[in-house]
Amino acid sequence: MSISVSAVSVRFDADQMWVSLDDGRVLGVPLAWFPRLRDASPEVREAVSISPAGLHWEALDEDISIAGLLSGTGDLTQARPHAA
């Protein structure tokens, strides 16, 4: 049986995103993992929608799953090197 964990709040400091979970844990995630969030204004960062599956920023077209954060997964949309 899997246990579902959801975010209850999100806050930011200069270089981290802090995600509070409904089980009491708080995840500190480097903004460097998510360049669109890192480069966004504070107002855009604060406009997050929290759902059972994760976090969404409409203005950035950014979706971050709680499962991904718990596994240590950063932004998977970054460009990969092209084959020669």
Side-chain angles (χ1 to χ4, degrees):
M1 178 167 89
S2 67
I3 298 172
S4 177
V5 179
S6 297
V8 294
S9 67
V10 180
R11 66 180 174 83
F12 296 89
D13 63 23
D15 56 9
Q16 295 273 113
M17 174 173 64
W18 299 93
V19 182
S20 297
L21 304 177
D22 61 2
D23 66 0
R25 288 182 285 177
V26 177
L27 303 175
V29 184
L31 283 175
W33 285 9
F34 302 100
R36 285 181 279 196
L37 280 175
R38 180 195 63 215
D39 298 339
S41 69
E43 294 80 15
V44 170
R45 286 184 194 165
E46 296 300 322
V48 60
S49 298
I50 299 173
S51 74
L55 311 170
H56 175 72
W57 288 264
E58 184 70 31
L60 300 173
D61 192 27
E62 181 79 42
D63 294 287
I64 300 174
S65 73
I66 300 306
L69 291 177
L70 288 169
S71 70
T73 305
D75 185 353
L76 300 178
T77 63
Q78 294 179 23
R80 293 188 172 85
H82 296 283

Coordinates of all heavy atoms in Angstrom, one line a residue:
M1 N 0.8 -1.2 0.0 CA 0.0 0.0 0.0 C 0.9 1.2 0.0 O 1.8 1.4 0.8 CB -0.9 0.0 1.3 CG -1.8 1.2 1.4 SD -3.0 1.0 2.6 CE -2.2 1.6 4.1
S2 N 0.6 2.2 -0.9 CA 1.4 3.4 -1.0 C 0.8 4.5 -0.2 O -0.5 4.6 -0.1 CB 1.6 3.9 -2.4 OG 0.4 4.3 -2.9
I3 N 1.6 5.3 0.4 CA 1.1 6.4 1.2 C 1.2 7.7 0.4 O 2.2 8.0 -0.2 CB 1.9 6.6 2.5 CG1 1.8 5.3 3.3 CG2 1.5 7.8 3.3 CD1 2.7 5.3 4.5
S4 N 0.1 8.4 0.3 CA 0.1 9.7 -0.5 C 0.4 10.9 0.4 O -0.2 11.0 1.5 CB -1.3 9.8 -1.1 OG -1.4 11.0 -1.8
V5 N 1.3 11.7 -0.1 CA 1.7 12.9 0.6 C 1.4 14.1 -0.3 O 1.7 14.0 -1.5 CB 3.2 12.9 0.9 CG1 3.6 14.1 1.6 CG2 3.5 11.6 1.8
S6 N 0.8 15.1 0.2 CA 0.5 16.3 -0.5 C 1.1 17.5 0.1 O 1.4 17.6 1.3 CB -1.0 16.5 -0.5 OG -1.7 15.5 -1.1
A7 N 1.3 18.5 -0.8 CA 1.8 19.8 -0.3 C 0.7 20.6 0.3 O -0.4 20.5 -0.1 CB 2.4 20.6 -1.5
V8 N 1.1 21.4 1.3 CA 0.1 22.3 2.0 C 0.5 23.8 1.8 O -0.4 24.6 1.8 CB -0.2 22.0 3.5 CG1 -0.8 20.6 3.6 CG2 1.1 22.0 4.3
S9 N 1.7 24.0 1.6 CA 2.2 25.4 1.3 C 3.5 25.4 0.6 O 4.3 24.4 0.7 CB 2.2 26.2 2.6 OG 3.2 25.7 3.5
V10 N 3.8 26.5 0.0 CA 5.1 26.7 -0.7 C 5.6 28.2 -0.4 O 4.8 29.1 -0.4 CB 4.9 26.6 -2.2 CG1 6.3 26.8 -2.9 CG2 4.3 25.3 -2.6
R11 N 6.9 28.3 0.0 CA 7.5 29.6 0.2 C 8.9 29.6 -0.5 O 9.4 28.5 -0.8 CB 7.5 30.0 1.6 CG 8.4 29.2 2.5 CD 8.4 29.6 4.0 NE 9.2 28.7 4.8 CZ 10.5 28.8 5.0 NH1 11.2 29.7 4.3 NH2 11.1 27.9 5.7
F12 N 9.4 30.7 -0.7 CA 10.7 30.9 -1.3 C 11.6 31.8 -0.5 O 11.2 32.7 0.2 CB 10.6 31.5 -2.7 CG 9.8 30.7 -3.6 CD1 8.4 30.8 -3.7 CD2 10.4 29.8 -4.5 CE1 7.6 30.0 -4.6 CE2 9.6 29.0 -5.3 CZ 8.3 29.1 -5.4
D13 N 12.9 31.5 -0.6 CA 13.9 32.5 -0.1 C 14.9 32.7 -1.3 O 14.5 32.4 -2.4 CB 14.7 32.0 1.2 CG 15.5 30.8 1.0 OD1 15.9 30.4 -0.1 OD2 15.7 30.1 2.0
A14 N 16.0 33.3 -1.1 CA 16.9 33.7 -2.2 C 17.2 32.6 -3.2 O 17.3 32.8 -4.4 CB 18.1 34.4 -1.7
D15 N 17.4 31.4 -2.7 CA 17.9 30.3 -3.6 C 17.2 29.0 -3.3 O 17.7 28.0 -3.8 CB 19.4 30.2 -3.5 CG 19.9 29.9 -2.1 OD1 19.1 29.7 -1.2 OD2 21.2 30.0 -2.0
Q16 N 16.2 29.0 -2.5 CA 15.5 27.7 -2.2 C 14.0 27.9 -2.3 O 13.4 28.9 -2.1 CB 15.7 27.3 -0.7 CG 17.2 26.9 -0.4 CD 17.5 25.5 -0.7 OE1 18.2 25.2 -1.6 NE2 16.9 24.6 0.0
M17 N 13.3 26.7 -2.6 CA 11.9 26.6 -2.5 C 11.6 25.7 -1.4 O 12.2 24.6 -1.3 CB 11.3 26.0 -3.8 CG 9.8 25.7 -3.7 SD 9.1 25.2 -5.3 CE 9.9 23.6 -5.6
W18 N 10.7 26.1 -0.5 CA 10.4 25.3 0.7 C 8.9 24.8 0.6 O 8.0 25.6 0.4 CB 10.5 26.2 2.0 CG 11.9 26.6 2.1 CD1 12.5 27.8 1.7 CD2 13.0 25.9 2.8 NE1 13.8 27.9 2.0 CE2 14.2 26.8 2.7 CE3 13.1 24.7 3.4 CZ2 15.4 26.4 3.2 CZ3 14.3 24.3 3.9 CH2 15.5 25.1 3.8
V19 N 8.8 23.5 0.6 CA 7.5 22.9 0.4 C 7.1 22.2 1.7 O 7.8 21.2 2.1 CB 7.4 21.9 -0.8 CG1 6.1 21.3 -1.0 CG2 7.9 22.6 -2.1
S20 N 6.0 22.7 2.3 CA 5.5 22.0 3.5 C 4.5 20.9 3.1 O 3.6 21.2 2.3 CB 4.8 23.0 4.4 OG 5.7 24.0 4.9
L21 N 4.7 19.7 3.6 CA 3.9 18.6 3.3 C 2.9 18.3 4.4 O 3.1 18.7 5.6 CB 4.7 17.3 3.1 CG 5.8 17.5 2.0 CD1 6.6 16.2 1.9 CD2 5.2 17.8 0.7
D22 N 1.8 17.6 4.1 CA 0.7 17.3 5.0 C 1.1 16.3 6.1 O 0.4 16.1 7.1 CB -0.6 16.9 4.3 CG -0.5 15.7 3.5 OD1 0.6 15.0 3.5 OD2 -1.5 15.3 2.9
D23 N 2.3 15.7 6.0 CA 2.8 14.8 7.0 C 3.7 15.5 8.0 O 4.3 14.8 8.8 CB 3.4 13.5 6.4 CG 4.6 13.8 5.6 OD1 5.1 14.9 5.5 OD2 5.2 12.8 5.1
G24 N 3.9 16.8 7.8 CA 4.8 17.5 8.7 C 6.2 17.8 8.2 O 6.9 18.6 8.7
R25 N 6.6 17.1 7.1 CA 7.9 17.4 6.6 C 7.9 18.7 5.8 O 6.9 19.1 5.3 CB 8.3 16.2 5.6 CG 8.7 15.0 6.4 CD 9.1 13.9 5.4 NE 7.9 13.4 4.7 CZ 8.0 12.5 3.7 NH1 9.1 12.0 3.3 NH2 6.9 12.0 3.1
V26 N 9.1 19.3 5.7 CA 9.3 20.5 4.9 C 10.5 20.2 4.0 O 11.6 19.8 4.5 CB 9.6 21.7 5.8 CG1 9.9 22.9 4.9 CG2 8.5 22.0 6.7
L27 N 10.3 20.3 2.7 CA 11.4 20.0 1.7 C 12.0 21.3 1.3 O 11.3 22.2 0.9 CB 10.8 19.3 0.5 CG 10.1 18.0 0.7 CD1 9.5 17.5 -0.6 CD2 11.0 17.0 1.3
G28 N 13.3 21.4 1.4 CA 14.1 22.5 0.8 C 14.7 22.1 -0.5 O 15.4 21.2 -0.5
V29 N 14.3 22.8 -1.6 CA 14.7 22.4 -2.9 C 15.4 23.6 -3.6 O 14.9 24.7 -3.6 CB 13.5 22.0 -3.8 CG1 13.9 21.5 -5.1 CG2 12.6 21.0 -3.0
P30 N 16.6 23.3 -4.1 CA 17.4 24.4 -4.7 C 16.6 25.0 -6.0 O 16.1 24.2 -6.8 CB 18.7 23.8 -5.2 CG 18.8 22.5 -4.5 CD 17.4 22.1 -4.1
L31 N 16.5 26.3 -6.0 CA 15.8 26.9 -7.2 C 16.6 26.6 -8.5 O 16.1 26.6 -9.6 CB 15.6 28.4 -7.0 CG 14.5 28.8 -6.1 CD1 14.5 30.3 -5.9 CD2 13.2 28.3 -6.7
A32 N 17.9 26.3 -8.4 CA 18.7 26.0 -9.5 C 18.2 24.8 -10.2 O 18.4 24.6 -11.4 CB 20.2 25.7 -9.1
W33 N 17.4 23.9 -9.5 CA 16.8 22.7 -10.2 C 15.7 23.1 -11.1 O 15.3 22.4 -12.0 CB 16.2 21.8 -9.1 CG 17.2 21.0 -8.4 CD1 18.5 21.1 -8.3 CD2 16.8 19.9 -7.5 NE1 19.1 20.2 -7.5 CE2 18.0 19.5 -6.9 CE3 15.6 19.4 -7.0 CZ2 18.1 18.4 -6.0 CZ3 15.7 18.4 -6.1 CH2 16.9 17.9 -5.6
F34 N 15.1 24.3 -11.0 CA 14.0 24.8 -11.7 C 14.2 26.2 -12.3 O 13.8 27.2 -11.7 CB 12.7 24.7 -10.9 CG 12.4 23.3 -10.3 CD1 12.8 23.0 -9.0 CD2 11.9 22.4 -11.1 CE1 12.5 21.8 -8.5 CE2 11.6 21.1 -10.6 CZ 12.0 20.8 -9.3
P35 N 14.9 26.3 -13.4 CA 15.3 27.6 -13.9 C 14.2 28.5 -14.2 O 14.3 29.8 -13.9 CB 16.0 27.3 -15.2 CG 16.5 25.9 -15.0 CD 15.5 25.2 -14.2
R36 N 13.0 28.0 -14.6 CA 11.9 29.0 -14.8 C 11.4 29.6 -13.5 O 11.1 30.8 -13.5 CB 10.7 28.2 -15.5 CG 10.9 28.0 -16.9 CD 9.8 27.3 -17.6 NE 9.9 25.9 -17.3 CZ 9.2 24.9 -17.9 NH1 8.4 25.2 -18.8 NH2 9.4 23.6 -17.5
L37 N 11.4 28.8 -12.4 CA 11.1 29.4 -11.1 C 12.2 30.3 -10.6 O 11.9 31.4 -10.1 CB 10.9 28.3 -10.1 CG 9.5 27.6 -10.1 CD1 9.5 26.5 -9.1 CD2 8.4 28.6 -9.8
R38 N 13.4 29.9 -10.8 CA 14.6 30.7 -10.3 C 14.5 32.1 -11.0 O 14.8 33.1 -10.3 CB 15.9 30.0 -10.7 CG 17.1 30.8 -10.3 CD 18.4 30.2 -11.0 NE 18.2 30.4 -12.4 CZ 18.7 29.5 -13.3 NH1 19.3 28.5 -12.9 NH2 18.5 29.8 -14.6
D39 N 14.2 32.2 -12.3 CA 14.2 33.4 -13.0 C 12.9 34.2 -12.9 O 12.9 35.3 -13.4 CB 14.5 33.1 -14.5 CG 15.9 32.5 -14.7 OD1 16.8 32.6 -13.8 OD2 16.1 31.8 -15.7
A40 N 11.9 33.7 -12.3 CA 10.6 34.3 -12.2 C 10.6 35.4 -11.1 O 11.4 35.3 -10.2 CB 9.5 33.3 -11.9
S41 N 9.7 36.3 -11.3 CA 9.5 37.4 -10.2 C 8.9 36.8 -9.0 O 8.2 35.7 -9.1 CB 8.6 38.5 -10.7 OG 7.3 38.0 -10.9
P42 N 9.1 37.4 -7.8 CA 8.4 36.9 -6.6 C 6.9 36.8 -6.8 O 6.3 35.8 -6.3 CB 8.8 37.9 -5.6 CG 10.1 38.5 -6.1 CD 10.0 38.5 -7.6
E43 N 6.3 37.7 -7.5 CA 4.8 37.7 -7.7 C 4.4 36.4 -8.5 O 3.4 35.8 -8.1 CB 4.4 38.9 -8.4 CG 4.5 40.2 -7.6 CD 6.0 40.8 -7.7 OE1 6.8 40.4 -8.5 OE2 6.3 41.6 -6.8
V44 N 5.2 36.1 -9.5 CA 4.9 34.9 -10.3 C 5.1 33.6 -9.5 O 4.3 32.7 -9.5 CB 5.7 34.9 -11.6 CG1 5.6 33.5 -12.3 CG2 5.2 36.0 -12.5
R45 N 6.2 33.6 -8.7 CA 6.4 32.4 -7.8 C 5.3 32.2 -6.8 O 4.9 31.1 -6.6 CB 7.7 32.6 -7.1 CG 8.9 32.5 -7.9 CD 10.1 32.6 -7.0 NE 11.4 32.8 -7.7 CZ 12.5 33.2 -7.2 NH1 12.6 33.5 -5.9 NH2 13.6 33.4 -7.9
E46 N 4.8 33.3 -6.3 CA 3.7 33.2 -5.3 C 2.4 32.7 -5.9 O 1.5 32.2 -5.1 CB 3.5 34.5 -4.5 CG 4.7 34.9 -3.7 CD 5.2 33.9 -2.7 OE1 4.3 33.3 -2.0 OE2 6.4 33.8 -2.5
A47 N 2.2 32.8 -7.2 CA 1.0 32.4 -7.8 C 0.9 30.9 -8.1 O 0.7 30.5 -9.2 CB 0.8 33.2 -9.1
V48 N 1.2 30.1 -7.1 CA 1.2 28.6 -7.3 C -0.1 28.0 -6.9 O -0.8 28.5 -6.0 CB 2.3 28.0 -6.3 CG1 2.1 28.3 -4.9 CG2 2.4 26.5 -6.6
S49 N -0.5 27.0 -7.7 CA -1.7 26.2 -7.4 C -1.3 24.9 -6.8 O -0.4 24.3 -7.4 CB -2.5 26.0 -8.7 OG -3.0 27.2 -9.2
I50 N -1.8 24.6 -5.7 CA -1.4 23.3 -5.0 C -2.6 22.3 -5.2 O -3.7 22.6 -4.9 CB -1.2 23.5 -3.5 CG1 0.0 24.5 -3.3 CG2 -0.9 22.2 -2.8 CD1 0.2 25.0 -1.9
S51 N -2.2 21.1 -5.7 CA -3.2 20.0 -5.9 C -2.6 18.8 -5.2 O -1.4 18.8 -4.8 CB -3.4 19.8 -7.4 OG -2.3 19.1 -7.9
P52 N -3.4 17.7 -5.1 CA -2.9 16.5 -4.5 C -1.6 15.9 -5.2 O -0.8 15.3 -4.6 CB -4.0 15.5 -4.5 CG -5.2 16.4 -4.5 CD -4.8 17.6 -5.3
A53 N -1.6 16.2 -6.5 CA -0.5 15.6 -7.3 C 0.8 16.5 -7.2 O 1.9 16.0 -7.4 CB -0.9 15.5 -8.8
G54 N 0.6 17.8 -7.0 CA 1.8 18.6 -7.0 C 1.6 20.1 -7.0 O 0.5 20.6 -6.6
L55 N 2.5 20.8 -7.7 CA 2.5 22.3 -7.7 C 2.4 22.7 -9.2 O 3.0 22.1 -10.1 CB 3.8 22.8 -7.1 CG 4.1 22.2 -5.7 CD1 5.5 22.6 -5.3 CD2 3.1 22.6 -4.7
H56 N 1.7 23.8 -9.4 CA 1.5 24.3 -10.8 C 1.6 25.8 -10.8 O 1.0 26.5 -10.0 CB 0.2 23.9 -11.4 CG -0.1 24.4 -12.8 ND1 0.6 24.0 -13.9 CD2 -0.9 25.4 -13.2 CE1 0.2 24.7 -14.9 NE2 -0.8 25.6 -14.5
W57 N 2.4 26.4 -11.8 CA 2.5 27.8 -12.0 C 2.0 28.1 -13.4 O 2.7 27.8 -14.4 CB 3.9 28.3 -11.9 CG 4.4 28.3 -10.4 CD1 4.4 29.4 -9.6 CD2 5.0 27.3 -9.7 NE1 4.9 29.1 -8.4 CE2 5.3 27.7 -8.4 CE3 5.2 25.9 -10.0 CZ2 5.8 26.9 -7.4 CZ3 5.8 25.1 -9.0 CH2 6.1 25.6 -7.7
E58 N 0.8 28.6 -13.5 CA 0.1 28.8 -14.8 C 1.0 29.8 -15.7 O 1.2 29.5 -16.9 CB -1.3 29.4 -14.6 CG -2.0 29.6 -15.9 CD -2.5 28.3 -16.6 OE1 -2.7 27.3 -15.8 OE2 -2.6 28.3 -17.8
A59 N 1.5 30.9 -15.2 CA 2.2 31.8 -15.9 C 3.5 31.3 -16.5 O 4.0 31.8 -17.5 CB 2.5 33.1 -15.1
L60 N 4.0 30.3 -15.8 CA 5.3 29.7 -16.3 C 5.2 28.4 -17.0 O 6.1 27.8 -17.5 CB 6.2 29.4 -15.0 CG 6.6 30.6 -14.2 CD1 7.3 30.2 -13.0 CD2 7.4 31.6 -15.0
D61 N 3.9 27.8 -17.0 CA 3.7 26.5 -17.6 C 4.6 25.5 -16.9 O 5.2 24.7 -17.5 CB 3.8 26.4 -19.1 CG 3.3 25.1 -19.7 OD1 2.4 24.5 -19.1 OD2 3.8 24.7 -20.7
E62 N 4.7 25.6 -15.5 CA 5.6 24.8 -14.7 C 4.8 23.9 -13.8 O 3.9 24.3 -13.1 CB 6.5 25.7 -13.9 CG 7.5 24.9 -13.0 CD 8.7 24.4 -13.8 OE1 9.2 25.1 -14.6 OE2 9.1 23.3 -13.5
D63 N 5.1 22.6 -13.9 CA 4.4 21.6 -13.0 C 5.5 20.8 -12.3 O 6.4 20.3 -12.9 CB 3.5 20.6 -13.8 CG 2.4 21.3 -14.5 OD1 1.4 21.7 -13.7 OD2 2.4 21.5 -15.7
I64 N 5.4 20.7 -11.0 CA 6.3 19.9 -10.2 C 5.5 18.9 -9.3 O 4.7 19.3 -8.6 CB 7.2 20.9 -9.3 CG1 7.9 21.9 -10.2 CG2 8.1 20.1 -8.4 CD1 8.7 22.9 -9.4
S65 N 5.9 17.7 -9.5 CA 5.2 16.7 -8.7 C 5.8 16.5 -7.3 O 7.0 16.7 -7.2 CB 5.1 15.3 -9.4 OG 6.4 14.7 -9.4
I66 N 5.0 16.2 -6.3 CA 5.5 15.9 -5.0 C 6.4 14.7 -5.0 O 7.5 14.6 -4.4 CB 4.4 15.8 -3.9 CG1 3.6 17.1 -3.9 CG2 5.0 15.5 -2.6 CD1 4.4 18.4 -3.7
A67 N 6.0 13.7 -5.8 CA 6.7 12.4 -5.9 C 8.1 12.7 -6.5 O 9.1 12.2 -6.0 CB 6.0 11.4 -6.8
G68 N 8.2 13.6 -7.5 CA 9.5 14.0 -8.0 C 10.4 14.7 -7.0 O 11.6 14.5 -7.0
L69 N 9.8 15.6 -6.2 CA 10.6 16.3 -5.2 C 11.1 15.3 -4.2 O 12.3 15.4 -3.8 CB 9.7 17.4 -4.5 CG 9.4 18.6 -5.4 CD1 8.5 19.5 -4.6 CD2 10.6 19.3 -5.9
L70 N 10.3 14.4 -3.8 CA 10.7 13.4 -2.8 C 11.8 12.5 -3.3 O 12.6 12.0 -2.5 CB 9.5 12.6 -2.3 CG 8.5 13.3 -1.4 CD1 7.3 12.5 -1.2 CD2 9.1 13.7 -0.1
S71 N 11.8 12.3 -4.6 CA 12.9 11.4 -5.2 C 14.1 12.2 -5.6 O 15.1 11.6 -6.1 CB 12.3 10.7 -6.4 OG 12.1 11.6 -7.5
G72 N 14.1 13.6 -5.4 CA 15.2 14.4 -5.7 C 15.4 14.7 -7.2 O 16.4 15.1 -7.7
T73 N 14.2 14.7 -7.9 CA 14.2 15.0 -9.3 C 14.1 16.5 -9.6 O 13.1 17.1 -9.1 CB 13.1 14.2 -10.0 OG1 13.2 12.8 -9.7 CG2 13.1 14.4 -11.5
G74 N 15.0 17.0 -10.3 CA 14.9 18.4 -10.7 C 14.2 18.6 -12.0 O 13.4 17.7 -12.4
D75 N 14.4 19.7 -12.7 CA 13.7 20.0 -14.0 C 14.1 19.0 -15.0 O 15.3 18.9 -15.4 CB 14.1 21.4 -14.4 CG 13.3 21.9 -15.6 OD1 12.6 21.1 -16.2 OD2 13.5 23.1 -15.9
L76 N 13.2 18.2 -15.6 CA 13.5 17.3 -16.6 C 13.3 17.8 -18.0 O 13.4 17.1 -19.0 CB 12.6 16.0 -16.4 CG 12.8 15.3 -15.1 CD1 11.8 14.1 -15.0 CD2 14.2 14.8 -14.9
T77 N 13.0 19.1 -18.1 CA 12.7 19.7 -19.4 C 14.0 20.4 -20.0 O 13.9 20.9 -21.1 CB 11.6 20.7 -19.4 OG1 12.0 21.8 -18.5 CG2 10.3 20.1 -18.9
Q78 N 15.1 20.3 -19.3 CA 16.3 21.0 -19.8 C 16.8 20.3 -21.0 O 16.6 19.1 -21.2 CB 17.4 21.0 -18.7 CG 17.0 21.8 -17.5 CD 18.0 21.7 -16.4 OE1 19.2 21.5 -16.7 NE2 17.7 22.0 -15.2
A79 N 17.4 21.1 -21.9 CA 17.8 20.6 -23.2 C 18.9 19.5 -22.9 O 19.8 19.7 -22.1 CB 18.4 21.7 -24.0
R80 N 18.9 18.5 -23.7 CA 19.9 17.4 -23.6 C 20.9 17.7 -24.8 O 20.5 18.2 -25.8 CB 19.2 16.1 -23.8 CG 18.4 15.8 -22.6 CD 17.9 14.3 -22.7 NE 17.2 13.9 -21.4 CZ 15.9 14.2 -21.2 NH1 15.2 14.8 -22.0 NH2 15.4 13.8 -20.0
P81 N 22.1 17.3 -24.6 CA 23.1 17.4 -25.7 C 22.7 16.7 -26.9 O 22.1 15.6 -26.9 CB 24.4 16.8 -25.1 CG 24.2 16.7 -23.6 CD 22.7 16.6 -23.4
H82 N 22.9 17.3 -28.1 CA 22.6 16.6 -29.4 C 23.7 15.7 -29.8 O 24.9 16.0 -29.5 CB 22.4 17.7 -30.4 CG 21.3 18.6 -30.2 ND1 20.0 18.2 -30.4 CD2 21.2 19.9 -29.7 CE1 19.2 19.2 -30.1 NE2 19.9 20.2 -29.7
A83 N 23.3 14.6 -30.4 CA 24.3 13.6 -30.9 C 25.0 14.3 -32.1 O 24.4 15.0 -32.9 CB 23.6 12.3 -31.3
A84 N 26.3 14.0 -32.2 CA 27.1 14.5 -33.3 C 26.9 13.8 -34.6 O 26.5 12.7 -34.6 CB 28.6 14.5 -33.0

